[in-house]
Amino acid sequence: MALIEVRDLEKIYKTGEVETRALRGVSFDIEKGEFVAVMGPSGSGKSTLLHMLGFLDTHTSGTYKFDGKKFTEYSEDERAHLRNKKMGFVFQTFNLLPRLSTIENVKLPLMYSDVPEKEWNERAKAALEAVEMGHRLDHLAFKLSGGEKQRVAMARALVNEPEVIFADEPTGNLDSKSGEAVMSVLQSLNEDMGHTVILITHETYTAQYSERILELFDGELAKDFKVKNRNSIKDGHFKK
Amino acid sequence: MKIKHTIRSATGGLKVHKSRSALTVLGILIGIAAIIMMVSLGGGAEGLIVGELGGLGAETIVVRPGQEPTGPADFSNTLFADSIKERDVEALKQKGNVPDLLDIMPAVIVAGSMSYEGETFQPTIMGGDAEFIAAAFDVYPVEGYAFGEDEIQQNADVVVIGDRVREELFADSSAVGEFVKVNQRKMRVIGVLPPKGQVAVLNVDSLAIVPHTTAQTYLSGRDYYNQLIIKISDPKHVDRAVVDIERTMRISHGITDPDDDDFYVETQQGIVEQVSTILGALTVLVSSIAAIALVVGGVGVMNIMLVSVAERTKEIGLRKSLGATNKDISRQFLIESILLAASGGLIGIILGSTFSFLVFLIVSNYFLPGWTYVFPVGAAVLGFTVSSIVGLIFGIYPAKQAAKKSPIEALRYE
């Protein structure tokens, strides 16, 4: 059984009288442990798809099964718990709470979980060390550089050891060096720690860090293929 | 999320906008401060008034002629009524009539002036028993002595004066033994009272006490009394003594229907109750003003919470994406609103009690030495609770608005 099963998924936005069909019947499966990139030009529906997969938004028709259970069968609270325990999000704009310290930002998902409080510090520290931010625990988030912010955001995404990490244009606001660092972390999360990673990007170069690409065009799935020449950065050395 | 962490997030939210939070709670602050001040100052005033009126002691009962006044204009009846005479005193003195009676003093109030070597002053000239007054008002002569039964029997021309009278007529020279003219009659000053101020309805300092027999015979030329002051043996038996006094007076006056009474009996308890009633009415008035201030303050809190929810749309979305349930979100904003309002209440309590303490310091030092400071513990607890409840009530709507936001709409918000 696939972790994610999508069948004929549709999403229609209504703005007054105008209907926008952001997704027009998309179907695919994603297995546990995959690293998938969703590509497409802006307006192709890739962000809409990610919001749906990440339980942040509802679909109009079709079915979406996560862990063998339909989205519509989860209650509102169960969706929140699922986002908390099984999903981690990395956003283009980082979305850290600026007045909290690095470690407090990472602790946020733990506060909404059933992890006992005495483990919070240890787990948040471990997550920050995994993204090489262990030296900046008490820095206020708004004082960090863009690359550092995104790494903190990744620590926040993985602190609850989720099954899937959703990354929505994670390199979009970063310079190429910081972007590469972020991609290398995502790759190691997938390869070394076994997290499923779903990446949204419009750059082919960034998409090639993944092992499979879903290409969207005008709300439809145009292509679904394996990446042949994957980008890879290991231990700071760029490999191709 | 545990309540502890929710509170921490909520205080964080408030700290970001310190001055805005401070301005928002102003309404609640004013409302609570008003309540605290009113209760504190009202308590002090009540203590003072009750203390003064009660200066005569609960064991003191006053019988006045005429009908009981229902308003200020009625008091003239009391001054000119002539229904209380010596036979009433004799009747009341009989042990069988009023067993609780310990002592009785008829009093005569005479209008007039007093002069000494060209200085003139208009004291309250009271015909009575100086020893009785000294004991009743707890004011004993600092110089000379108080006259008693002997001087009263002899219609003696003696006078005991209050501190203000002494100061006006004698300034720094000695008064005892000097002769003064009271309404053209020569009298000897035999005692001077210490400064005492107001006791019950009398200002002791401007009192000139002469034997009531002297007052009746030489000063007023009247055979009736303006009041009878009665001391009973035990203040617990006031009600019983009042019944006995009324019955004795009615027999003495030949009255069968209490509606025809040409006298009335005043107890200290009755006066204290009247004052409490007036202060109670004032309390209700100020409380309703404070309640309006609290409602206005609550609307202010709601307004600012709605602004805060709108501003933090993105934070709400993020928290939801990290696993916050609707309940977590609404609770965070609700607690923020309660903390906001409750801190306003707390500051109001501090400011209100500080201000009323300052008023107490000024009043007690310069105007009314008997004023006491009361920290209203009950009102403080109530004020804190009420402000928290205001925060809760006016926080519900913004908190629901916050919880209703869809995570994706919230995350997209810039």
Side-chain angles (χ1 to χ4, degrees):
Chain A
M1 182 185 65
L3 178 68
I4 286 171
E5 278 182 44
V6 174
R7 295 288 176 274
D8 304 320
L9 203 65
E10 280 204 41
K11 177 69 180 179
I12 299 170
Y13 292 109
K14 272 187 187 167
T15 327
E17 295 292 296
V18 187
E19 281 192 358
T20 314
R21 295 181 73 197
L23 285 178
R24 307 162 179 248
V26 177
S27 303
F28 59 86
D29 287 356
I30 292 174
E31 299 293 331
K32 217 172 196 164
E34 272 192 279
F35 188 163
V36 180
V38 180
M39 273 194 75
S42 55
S44 59
K46 56 189 192 303
S47 282
T48 304
L49 180 64
L50 180 107
H51 294 151
M52 243 137 262
L53 296 182
F55 279 40
L56 296 173
D57 205 352
T58 54
H59 53 262
T60 313
S61 66
T63 55
Y64 167 34
K65 276 189 190 172
F66 184 89
D67 245 358
K69 195 171 160 185
K70 280 184 191 165
F71 171 82
T72 46
E73 289 167 358
Y74 290 104
S75 74
E76 187 115 1
D77 276 3
E78 281 172 334
R79 289 173 199 168
H81 291 313
L82 221 59
R83 286 197 292 266
N84 181 250
K85 289 190 63 154
K86 300 209 166 175
M87 300 172 180
F89 295 91
V90 180
F91 304 97
Q92 181 176 3
T93 51
F94 324 128
N95 285 337
L96 300 179
L97 294 185
R99 305 206 178 247
L100 297 188
S101 70
T102 303
I103 192 159
E104 283 170 324
N105 265 292
V106 177
K107 275 190 206 167
L108 278 174
L110 296 169
M111 290 187 181
Y112 295 109
S113 73
D114 47 13
V115 175
E117 193 184 342
K118 57 178 191 287
E119 293 177 25
W120 292 1
N121 256 323
E122 211 178 303
R123 287 181 72 159
K125 261 189 214 167
L128 279 164
E129 272 157 17
V131 297
E132 290 169 7
M133 285 295 290
H135 58 299
R136 290 259 154 123
L137 299 179
D138 296 318
H139 269 61
L140 288 180
F142 75 92
K143 288 185 178 166
L144 299 172
S145 73
E148 288 174 322
K149 280 180 186 165
Q150 198 58 300
R151 278 190 277 162
V152 173
M154 280 193 285
R156 183 181 64 193
L158 62 90
V159 72
N160 254 346
E161 291 165 6
E163 276 181 32
V164 196
I165 292 176
F166 294 100
D168 188 357
E169 304 267 14
T171 60
N173 279 2
L174 301 178
D175 59 75
S176 61
K177 201 166 162 239
S178 306
E180 275 177 6
V182 164
M183 289 319 296
S184 100
V185 172
L186 279 179
Q187 212 164 42
S188 110
L189 287 176
N190 172 247
E191 284 176 12
D192 306 337
M193 297 165 82
H195 296 286
T196 310
V197 176
I198 298 175
L199 166 76
I200 296 257
T201 183
H202 62 275
E203 299 167 337
T204 316
Y205 175 77
T206 308
Q208 279 175 340
Y209 281 93
S210 70
E211 50 189 15
R212 176 182 165 199
I213 294 178
L214 301 176
E215 230 179 273
L216 287 181
F217 193 79
D218 271 353
E220 284 174 29
L221 189 60
K223 286 181 193 165
D224 179 352
F225 59 97
K226 293 269 179 221
V227 178
K228 283 179 188 136
N229 294 311
R230 281 185 78 187
N231 291 334
S232 174
I233 311 163
K234 278 275 160 154
D235 307 320
H237 302 293
F238 185 75
K239 288 193 293 188
K240 186 147 189 179
Chain B
M1 184 148 82
K2 281 186 191 148
I3 199 89
K4 182 172 83 182
H5 304 292
T6 316
I7 290 173
R8 213 173 287 158
S9 319
T11 38
L14 291 175
K15 274 187 198 153
V16 174
H17 299 287
K18 283 194 197 79
S19 56
R20 189 170 86 183
S21 304
L23 285 173
T24 303
V25 300
L26 215 53
I28 288 174
L29 191 154
I30 291 169
I32 298 295
I35 293 174
I36 295 293
M37 278 180 60
M38 175 204 59
V39 176
S40 180
L41 295 179
E46 189 169 5
L48 177 72
I49 296 167
V50 168
E52 278 199 347
L53 292 174
L56 279 176
E59 70 279 10
T60 308
I61 297 171
V62 178
V63 183
R64 294 182 195 274
Q67 301 254 310
E68 188 161 7
T70 51
D74 279 358
F75 268 107
S76 53
N77 293 336
T78 332
L79 283 178
F80 304 113
D82 57 358
S83 56
I84 299 180
K85 297 190 175 163
E86 185 58 25
R87 62 190 152 88
D88 299 319
V89 179
E90 296 307 322
L92 289 169
K93 269 184 181 168
Q94 286 183 19
K95 261 286 170 239
N97 288 338
V98 187
D100 293 308
L101 184 136
L102 196 67
D103 203 355
I104 179 165
M105 180 192 91
V108 181
I109 309 289
V110 186
S113 62
M114 195 167 175
S115 58
Y116 173 75
E117 290 186 351
E119 298 287 341
T120 303
F121 182 69
Q122 296 212 316
T124 308
I125 303 169
M126 187 184 213
D129 178 337
E131 280 176 353
F132 185 100
I133 289 171
F137 289 57
D138 189 29
V139 54
Y140 296 92
V142 280
E143 277 180 83
Y145 64 97
F147 61 79
E149 204 51 43
D150 290 347
E151 288 84 352
I152 292 169
Q153 292 288 325
Q154 295 158 13
N155 291 11
D157 287 320
V158 290
V159 59
V160 173
I161 58 175
D163 186 63
R164 172 122 192 268
V165 183
R166 178 199 59 76
E167 199 183 315
E168 294 285 340
L169 295 181
F170 298 94
D172 295 328
S173 62
S174 176
V176 171
E178 297 297 317
F179 285 92
V180 291
K181 278 195 166 166
V182 181
N183 282 4
Q184 303 312 313
R185 187 169 178 88
K186 208 163 136 191
M187 295 194 183
R188 192 159 58 92
V189 177
I190 59 160
V192 176
L193 300 175
K196 175 80 177 175
Q198 193 84 16
V199 177
V201 288
L202 267 185
N203 186 348
V204 173
D205 292 349
S206 51
L207 213 51
I209 310 165
V210 298
H212 61 84
T213 47
T214 312
Q216 281 188 321
T217 316
Y218 304 118
L219 299 179
S220 73
R222 300 180 297 226
D223 65 342
Y224 55 86
Y225 299 120
N226 296 96
Q227 51 182 268
L228 300 176
I229 300 171
I230 295 165
K231 283 222 162 254
I232 58 167
S233 48
D234 189 339
K236 276 185 281 201
H237 297 149
V238 169
D239 294 341
R240 191 171 79 190
V242 167
V243 171
D244 289 339
I245 291 167
E246 285 177 343
R247 194 191 51 237
T248 309
M249 290 292 290
R250 283 186 196 123
I251 293 169
S252 172
H253 289 190
I255 294 167
T256 47
D257 183 358
D259 285 344
D260 295 336
D261 278 359
D262 54 1
F263 67 92
Y264 63 96
V265 179
E266 259 179 22
T267 61
Q268 301 308 305
Q269 193 51 42
I271 295 169
V272 169
E273 275 166 11
Q274 272 179 16
V275 170
S276 299
T277 310
I278 293 166
L279 281 172
L282 266 176
T283 306
V284 170
L285 178 76
V286 181
S287 300
S288 30
I289 294 169
I292 293 168
L294 284 176
V295 171
V296 173
V299 173
V301 167
M302 181 158 78
N303 179 39
I304 217 69
M305 287 310 297
L306 285 172
V307 171
S308 176
V309 168
E311 274 180 355
R312 285 151 70 192
T313 300
K314 205 169 170 148
E315 177 187 330
I316 296 165
L318 173 75
R319 285 181 184 272
K320 280 195 164 182
S321 78
L322 297 179
T325 58
N326 291 351
K327 210 172 120 195
D328 286 326
I329 297 294
S330 64
R331 204 158 61 172
Q332 181 186 338
F333 281 90
L334 204 54
I335 286 176
E336 199 169 309
S337 162
I338 293 171
L339 284 178
L340 189 64
S343 60
L346 201 63
I347 299 169
I349 290 168
I350 295 167
L351 286 185
S353 50
T354 309
F355 194 74
S356 49
F357 186 71
L358 290 179
V359 170
F360 151 75
L361 281 183
I362 293 166
V363 169
S364 64
N365 278 330
Y366 298 103
F367 302 106
L368 298 163
W371 192 279
T372 50
Y373 177 70
V374 184
F375 178 76
V377 181
V381 172
L382 184 78
F384 187 73
T385 315
V386 166
S387 55
S388 308
I389 292 172
V390 166
L392 174 74
I393 291 171
F394 289 96
I396 289 173
Y397 179 66
K400 278 197 170 159
Q401 294 296 106
K404 246 169 51 183
K405 286 188 185 292
S406 128
I408 195 59
E409 290 302 320
L411 272 176
R412 227 183 251 147
Y413 186 91
E414 289 294 338

